[in-house]
Amino acid sequence: MACKSSGELNELLQSARRYTEKGKVADYIPALGKANRNELSIAIHYQNEECVSAGDIETKFTLQSVSKIISLAVALLDHGEEYVFSKVGMEPTGDPFNSIAKLESSVPSKPLNPMINAGALAVTNMIKGSHQSDKLVRLLQFVHDLTSNPYITYSVEVAESEFQTSNLNRSLCYFMKQHGIISGDVEELMQVYTKQCAIEMNCLDLARIGAVFAFNGMDPASKRQIIPPHIARICKTFMVTCGMYNASGEFAIKIGIPAKSGVSGAILCTVPGKYGIGIYGPALDSKGNSIAGIKLLELLSKRYNLSMF
Ligand code: GLN
């Protein structure tokens, strides 16, 4: 896909780039620690397939928590709302993404929403497929449909690095297994989840996914309805209420568009009815969001009056 570099976007990107110095690359997944913290890139995908970009757009990154929006859409397609929300709630937590605290105090004991790790693990557990490789194929196929890029796959290095170190996520799984929220083998679930989080793309692909959500699940180029509108609406609502972890409230006030971030530094944004935005900037703030990426979105939102509120 051709994407024009934009002088105007580059000017905003350069103002935001200096914030990378204040952030820190995630290294609790050791392979993510190799990222260059000074990088920042953005792509915007419009309805007519036009695309503008700025920054290091060739860099590929893993989706990490951005993948939670994709797995949620797949689980909703597979099982419908009633079943999915019998296992995972709809409320923001106000806690960090990997917190176990509310799992114990909530009655019934189910994760509060699908954007925190506990909720996302429960959602991935639901995806149809008799073996973990079937679930992964299904997720990847869906990503290919969303991006119109059949070459996207996952990073073996990042997936293995997370699989070997994610004891906290394992503990969430065992807790949920005890309470009947998930079933089956925890190691198999960890295999699918870590590969799902390691799905790798660049910000042009990410912007294209954002555009599909911006047009209520329809690919603006092919006009194919990839996600039913009611599922796209649910995903976008979670992006607003819980997409930026425990910074979602501030993000809604300052920027005001549905967005989902990941600890790789990726941010998927969707400006309803207008366009999709993909951002990558691996230096993170204390809540695990791309520090310069948020700054760039703030500048963009102010300049183009993007807030939906
Ligand atoms: N794979 C990461 C984890 O489970 C995703 C977290 C994130 O991006 N916030 O820890």
Side-chain angles (χ1 to χ4, degrees):
M1 175 178 58
C3 196
K4 283 186 282 186
S5 76
S6 152
E8 203 172 329
L9 211 48
N10 194 41
E11 181 202 311
L12 296 178
L13 182 128
Q14 295 312 339
S15 321
R17 201 194 278 273
R18 56 200 157 91
Y19 287 85
T20 58
E21 298 296 328
K22 298 187 199 293
K24 199 173 165 299
V25 168
D27 56 8
Y28 76 98
I29 298 172
L32 292 184
K34 292 184 184 167
N36 170 359
R37 81 166 182 168
N38 298 317
E39 280 203 37
L40 186 61
S41 53
I42 180 168
I44 300 183
H45 191 95
Y46 294 89
Q47 184 171 17
N48 57 2
E49 263 223 284
E50 210 180 288
C51 172
V52 291
S53 65
D56 317 293
I57 55 163
E58 299 305 320
T59 305
K60 282 192 189 170
F61 48 85
T62 58
L63 289 180
Q64 299 304 327
S65 281
V66 173
S67 70
K68 292 171 180 171
I69 280 292
I70 293 161
S71 53
L72 174 64
V74 172
L76 285 166
L77 280 168
D78 281 356
H79 299 283
E81 284 168 62
E82 203 178 322
Y83 180 80
V84 171
F85 296 120
S86 70
K87 303 276 186 198
V88 53
M90 302 183 194
E91 301 301 336
T93 65
D95 294 329
F97 62 86
N98 53 5
S99 174
I100 198 165
K102 295 257 166 58
L103 255 190
E104 199 177 12
S105 57
S106 308
V107 180
S109 188
K110 65 179 187 184
L112 276 179
N113 69 68
M115 301 295 109
I116 50 172
N117 284 9
L121 287 157
V123 164
T124 298
N125 186 243
M126 288 176 207
I127 292 171
K128 279 190 179 154
S130 51
H131 189 259
Q132 53 115 341
S133 58
D134 304 331
K135 295 184 188 214
L136 189 72
V137 166
R138 188 150 161 56
L139 279 166
L140 279 172
Q141 182 56 54
F142 193 63
V143 169
H144 296 165
D145 286 347
L146 287 169
T147 55
S148 300
N149 180 354
Y151 300 107
I152 289 175
T153 183
Y154 67 93
S155 156
V156 174
E157 185 196 356
V158 175
E160 278 178 2
S161 177
E162 181 170 14
F163 185 80
Q164 281 158 15
T165 51
S166 47
N167 295 315
L168 197 47
N169 283 337
R170 283 185 172 83
S171 71
L172 296 171
C173 288
Y174 283 110
F175 192 94
M176 291 192 288
K177 192 167 171 173
Q178 182 68 33
H179 290 278
I181 302 295
I182 65 166
S183 58
D185 184 63
V186 168
E187 290 307 302
E188 276 198 22
L189 172 56
M190 289 308 302
Q191 284 283 355
V192 192
Y193 176 78
T194 50
K195 288 173 184 162
Q196 163 196 319
C197 288
I199 294 174
E200 199 174 39
M201 61 181 67
N202 62 24
C203 58
L204 310 183
D205 298 309
L206 199 56
R208 184 145 187 164
I209 298 179
V212 173
F213 281 104
F215 295 99
N216 301 319
M218 188 188 71
D219 177 35
S222 67
K223 307 280 181 250
R224 209 154 60 90
Q225 192 73 40
I226 296 170
I227 311 170
H230 74 282
I231 293 183
R233 182 181 57 76
I234 293 172
C235 293
K236 279 186 282 188
T237 312
F238 276 122
M239 287 163 92
V240 170
T241 57
C242 332
M244 305 300 285
Y245 318 126
N246 44 336
S248 299
E250 188 179 342
F251 189 88
I253 287 174
K254 290 192 174 158
I255 293 151
I257 56 173
K260 179 75 204 90
S261 66
V263 287
S264 53
I267 311 179
L268 163 71
C269 311
T270 175
V271 185
K274 288 192 176 143
Y275 44 74
I277 307 175
I279 290 207
Y280 172 64
L284 306 180
D285 62 19
S286 60
K287 299 202 167 147
N289 292 316
S290 171
I291 192 164
I294 290 197
K295 202 68 208 166
L296 178 53
L297 284 168
E298 217 177 301
L299 296 172
L300 208 61
S301 179
K302 282 211 179 84
R303 176 157 316 175
Y304 300 107
N305 207 11
L306 296 185
S307 176
M308 55 194 277
F309 301 108

